[in-house]
Amino acid sequence: MESMSYRDTDYGYMNDLRSMYILFKYQIKFYLKTRRFVAMLIIVALITALTVGIDLYEGATKSTAGFANSADFIAGSLSGPLITSIGIVAAFFGGDATSIETGTNSGYFIMTQPVRKISILMGRFFAAVLLGFLLIMIEYAGVAALSQDFYGTVSAGILLSIIEALFLIASFTAVAFLFSSIFKNPLIGILFSVIVFILVFVIVQAILEITNIEPWFILNYGGEVVTEILSPSSIAHVTSIKTHAFTTENYEPYIWEGNAIMGGYLVISLILSYIIFRSKEVRPQ
């Protein structure tokens, strides 16, 4: 029997917030001191450099062809790499966030302290979301600089896109936390998150669209509103594409629909993460 249970510890609301803040700061420092943060920084910087470099090499005339204004250009430039980057960052920052506490010796000290598990969970969650958001801002900065260079302006809609990106980062991170709560091994949690975000979601979405089924339950699909919000009036919800004897449907989520999908993943994943995390016992390895 445990000498002290998180379930039986009666801490006040302010104590919970204080504990959450302390764990938030601890997690930020932990990420910044690890090679993982450096690796994520390099990956995002390379993706940004590739995007910016190609457009600069091709020149303004070719790079802006097909884009009527700054908003369309920013949406087109971010539509490919942004969701991939968010998925990778969320997987590496969230895939071992709780399993490192219950599955290794490194978290044994924290887990045996009179701190509610909800404080541990949310402190780590906010830290992962904040650092993920800061990394993704590198891509926004690169594309905004291109827009300023090519069009002489940056669409004000980029602010709405950044807000949606923050929402998407939180949703992906929440799912990664869920996987981390399920798996005891931190490495498995990270790898599983990467596979699901980068491969499974993408493949399932492609298969559904080929068979003319709207992938309304796929997070990547909902996350497309991150770029759609820049020029929502110019995007059709369903577009028919005829190839030889076949006709397939290309789906784009409504803004409300995309936010509902992201919100569902965020809330449900965090709730399940807490339930699983709270039920786990901690023992020295």
Side-chain angles (χ1 to χ4, degrees), residues 127-191:
V129 171
L130 175 60
L131 286 185
F133 176 70
L134 293 177
L135 286 174
I136 295 305
M137 285 302 296
I138 295 174
E139 291 193 33
Y140 274 97
V143 173
L146 281 176
S147 176
Q148 182 64 41
D149 183 37
F150 293 160
Y151 293 90
T153 185
V154 178
S155 171
I158 196 173
L159 297 177
L160 293 176
S161 179
I162 289 173
I163 294 173
E164 293 285 9
L166 177 59
F167 195 7
L168 183 59
I169 292 167
S171 301
F172 267 113
T173 303
V175 178
F177 266 58
L178 175 57
F179 295 150
S180 178
S181 298
I182 294 173
F183 297 108
K184 186 175 181 180
N185 188 306
L187 181 59
I188 293 178
I190 293 175
L191 291 177

Side-chain angles (χ1 to χ4, degrees), residues 1-255:
M1 182 180 296
E2 291 182 315
S3 59
M4 181 173 292
S5 171
Y6 288 94
R7 303 174 188 177
D8 299 331
T9 305
D10 186 19
Y11 273 79
Y13 179 69
M14 294 305 297
N15 283 333
D16 287 338
L17 288 178
R18 188 181 304 111
S19 299
M20 186 188 305
Y21 177 65
I22 291 172
L23 287 160
F24 168 81
K25 291 196 302 180
Y26 172 82
Q27 192 68 8
I28 290 288
K29 292 179 180 178
F30 170 76
Y31 283 139
L32 293 176
K33 291 179 180 179
T34 61
R35 295 179 181 177
R36 185 186 317 179
F37 176 78
V38 176
M40 291 299 97
L41 180 61
I42 292 174
I43 289 174
V44 174
L46 286 175
I47 292 175
T48 304
L50 184 62
T51 302
V52 173
I54 291 175
D55 283 342
L56 289 176
Y57 176 77
E58 292 182 340
T61 302
K62 189 173 183 179
S63 296
T64 57
F67 300 122
N69 49 48
S70 170
D72 289 343
F73 173 77
I74 293 172
S77 299
L78 292 175
S79 61
L82 186 61
I83 294 181
T84 300
S85 298
I86 290 176
I88 294 174
V89 169
F92 276 89
F93 283 155
D96 67 344
T98 60
S99 57
I100 200 172
E101 304 290 4
T102 58
T104 67
N105 280 326
S106 61
Y108 182 72
F109 175 76
I110 293 178
M111 292 291 286
T112 53
Q113 300 304 304
V115 181
R116 289 183 186 273
K117 287 188 176 180
I118 187 64
S119 297
I120 298 174
L121 182 73
M122 296 310 298
R124 292 187 180 280
F125 175 74
F126 287 128
V129 171
L130 175 60
L131 286 185
F133 176 70
L134 293 177
L135 286 174
I136 295 305
M137 285 302 296
I138 295 174
E139 291 193 33
Y140 274 97
V143 173
L146 281 176
S147 176
Q148 182 64 41
D149 183 37
F150 293 160
Y151 293 90
T153 185
V154 178
S155 171
I158 196 173
L159 297 177
L160 293 176
S161 179
I162 289 173
I163 294 173
E164 293 285 9
L166 177 59
F167 195 7
L168 183 59
I169 292 167
S171 301
F172 267 113
T173 303
V175 178
F177 266 58
L178 175 57
F179 295 150
S180 178
S181 298
I182 294 173
F183 297 108
K184 186 175 181 180
N185 188 306
L187 181 59
I188 293 178
I190 293 175
L191 291 177
F192 190 81
S193 298
V194 171
I195 292 172
V196 171
F197 295 163
I198 307 304
L199 293 178
V200 176
F201 278 168
V202 174
I203 293 173
V204 172
Q205 180 178 343
I207 293 175
L208 290 174
E209 291 188 340
I210 289 174
T211 55
N212 298 332
I213 299 175
E214 182 181 3
W216 57 267
F217 52 88
I218 302 297
L219 181 54
N220 293 48
Y221 174 69
E224 291 177 8
V225 298
V226 171
T227 53
E228 286 183 16
I229 196 71
L230 285 155
S231 52
S233 60
S234 64
I235 298 176
H237 178 57
V238 183
T239 304
S240 296
I241 302 175
K242 187 174 181 61
T243 305
H244 302 295
F246 300 96
T247 300
T248 59
E249 306 291 345
N250 180 59
Y251 293 91
E252 300 289 348
Y254 295 110
I255 301 301

